[in-house]
Amino acid sequence: MSQVLGTTELNTVFDEDSVLKQELLEGLLAEKKYINPKFFYDEAGSQLFEKIMQLPEYYPSRTEMALLEKHQDEIAVAIGENKVLIEPGAGNCEKVQYILPTLQPKCYVPIDISADFLFESASNLQTKFPHVHIHAVADDMKAKVDVPEKFKTNHKVVFYPGSTIGNYKPIQALEFLKHVRELVGKEGGLLIGVDLQKDKEILDAAYNDKDGVTALFNLNVLNHVNKLLDSDIDAELFEHVAFYNEEHCRIEMHLESKVNQQCSIDNLIQVNFSESERIHTEYSYKYTIESFSQLAAQAGLKLENYWLDDDELFSVQYYVAL
Ligand SMILES: C[S@@+](CC[C@H](N)C(=O)[O-])C[C@H]1O[C@@H](n2cnc3c(N)ncnc32)[C@H](O)[C@@H]1O
């Protein structure tokens, strides 16, 4: 069997700055203000998210990693050999390390919008797994990924941990699942981490840690916005608000203005915030195995197997193309 020695190819295919600015402006000028959660991840945001993953209250990351570690053999059997493994929003590439040794993909393709962070993570991963070919792509996760010619195959599997799927409204999640189905083709699969519905107290605590790290992470998005828009929004005049909305089965994160205030963007545009007005920054939808597998079925993906922790806090699910 031939073996490909690992090389990390660093490909930057960035969104135009102006497109990002336009998207941010639309959100801040909307009647109900919002900022897309992808703007959380400047360098400071990525580092704060690393800290969130260590918090005692934040059960998703450690529960998911324990599941991947415990069931790595079964996962490798379910996925099969010779796959190209594609991870949208790979971040620090930490979770894939639990499945790489048993899965041994032909090629691993991490994709992330935070280019520097991705390339650093991919290089570190390469050091640990010198024999895995890593093809890192800095791009939006919905972009069409180009697998290097020599690794083109019908055996593609998307790895999408972290319950990142929960950040989409169900209708958008369905769209993303359809994109995944198209990307992997009829012989492909999807290994996905999905956070589960549970007691409101556990969920509220996970997004309101006592050290205030999640609050800092949420507020930091305003610093990133200032850099991108040349604006003067004062993060200290906003408050982190996060709660579980039982009706919609989702965590909602907002930034609430503490006072009536005006901010300027690029010395050209004025944005007004009234006291208690909120900027919506993130949803995190929680599913059951049934509700998520029904959604995936609409995208042409069939639940093949799933793994749960003893407390049924989190799930890792494997789907194959229908
Ligand atoms: C919450 S982290 C999850 C990281 C990793 N998947 C995990 O489970 O540990 C989300 C990652 O997705 C990236 N990201 C967010 N929005 C993105 C987008 N639209 N396209 C590509 N990457 C994105 C961020 O830069 C960040 O590294």
Side-chain angles (χ1 to χ4, degrees):
M1 195 175 74
S2 67
Q3 194 172 39
V4 179
L5 285 187
T7 50
T8 304
E9 293 161 21
L10 308 180
N11 298 287
T12 310
V13 200
F14 247 137
D15 274 354
E16 291 292 323
D17 255 14
S18 57
V19 176
L20 293 177
K21 282 184 185 173
Q22 185 61 33
E23 189 180 346
L24 274 174
L25 264 179
E26 271 172 28
L28 290 175
L29 297 174
E31 202 183 320
K32 288 194 170 182
K33 296 182 173 66
Y34 63 89
I35 297 172
N36 186 309
K38 72 181 173 193
F39 293 106
F40 279 135
Y41 299 96
D42 62 348
E43 204 180 330
S46 296
Q47 281 166 6
L48 283 165
F49 188 74
E50 297 263 286
K51 284 196 183 160
I52 289 177
M53 295 210 291
Q54 315 295 328
L55 293 169
E57 297 93 335
Y58 195 74
Y59 64 86
S61 304
R62 63 167 181 278
T63 312
E64 182 176 44
M65 287 192 268
L67 283 171
L68 292 169
E69 184 168 30
K70 182 171 174 190
H71 300 291
Q72 56 186 296
D73 291 330
E74 282 174 55
I75 290 170
V77 170
I79 292 180
E81 291 177 348
N82 257 335
K83 298 287 202 256
V84 167
L85 189 67
I86 302 167
E87 184 177 355
N92 63 6
C93 302
E94 188 179 2
K95 290 174 185 164
V96 76
Q97 300 182 40
Y98 294 102
I99 55 171
L100 278 183
T102 46
L103 189 61
Q104 300 190 346
K106 279 164 77 129
C107 179
Y108 168 58
V109 184
I111 308 165
D112 205 287
I113 202 164
S114 184
D116 293 345
F117 189 66
L118 170 71
F119 295 154
E120 195 188 319
S121 308
S123 301
N124 292 340
L125 189 72
Q126 190 73 88
T127 311
K128 285 190 196 159
F129 295 93
H131 299 295
V132 176
H133 186 97
I134 303 175
H135 179 72
V137 179
D139 203 348
D140 191 279
M141 62 173 87
K142 285 192 198 141
K144 205 167 174 290
V145 210
D146 219 5
V147 175
E149 196 55 46
K150 62 183 168 184
F151 296 111
K152 286 239 158 82
T153 170
N154 290 333
H155 302 283
K156 282 183 260 181
V157 169
V158 162
F159 179 46
Y160 201 50
S163 207
T164 310
I165 194 75
N167 297 150
Y168 297 113
K169 287 181 177 172
I171 186 104
Q172 299 164 330
L174 177 58
E175 236 175 79
F176 185 76
L177 291 168
K178 284 182 179 167
H179 162 75
V180 167
R181 170 64 184 79
E182 200 183 316
L183 182 67
V184 299
K186 61 181 187 327
E187 293 173 45
L190 166 69
L191 182 69
I192 187 164
V194 183
D195 199 7
L196 299 174
Q197 291 169 18
K198 60 186 67 65
D199 285 353
K200 183 171 164 44
E201 291 69 39
I202 300 176
L203 286 163
D204 282 343
Y207 293 82
N208 290 286
D209 63 279
K210 64 174 173 22
D211 292 338
V213 184
T214 311
L216 281 180
F217 172 75
N218 196 11
L219 288 160
N220 177 67
V221 78
L222 297 175
N223 302 329
H224 192 200
V225 169
N226 283 339
K227 273 184 258 158
L228 291 169
L229 289 185
D230 203 9
S231 52
D232 61 0
I233 307 174
D234 184 351
E236 292 200 0
L237 297 181
F238 286 84
E239 198 168 10
H240 162 76
V241 175
F243 56 90
Y244 186 57
N245 179 329
E246 286 177 291
E247 187 191 341
H248 293 286
C249 304
R250 68 186 183 207
I251 286 283
E252 295 188 13
M253 285 219 303
H254 304 265
L255 290 165
E256 187 172 298
S257 179
K258 294 180 190 170
V259 291
N260 291 323
Q261 53 176 314
Q262 290 180 346
C263 305
S264 125
I265 295 174
D266 209 8
N267 283 322
L268 282 174
I269 303 166
Q270 187 177 299
V271 183
N272 299 319
F273 295 95
S274 48
E275 189 182 339
S276 307
E277 184 177 357
R278 289 176 177 177
I279 310 172
H280 169 247
T281 51
E282 188 171 69
Y283 287 136
S284 182
Y285 280 83
K286 310 300 172 189
Y287 289 91
T288 61
I289 298 292
E290 293 71 28
S291 64
F292 192 76
S293 59
Q294 280 166 13
L295 193 70
Q298 291 176 55
L301 293 161
K302 177 173 151 281
L303 182 62
E304 186 83 350
N305 206 345
Y306 65 90
W307 299 272
L308 301 175
D309 56 294
D310 291 345
D311 297 324
E312 304 195 356
L313 295 174
F314 201 91
S315 66
V316 172
Q317 310 184 15
Y318 184 61
Y319 288 84
V320 291
L322 274 169

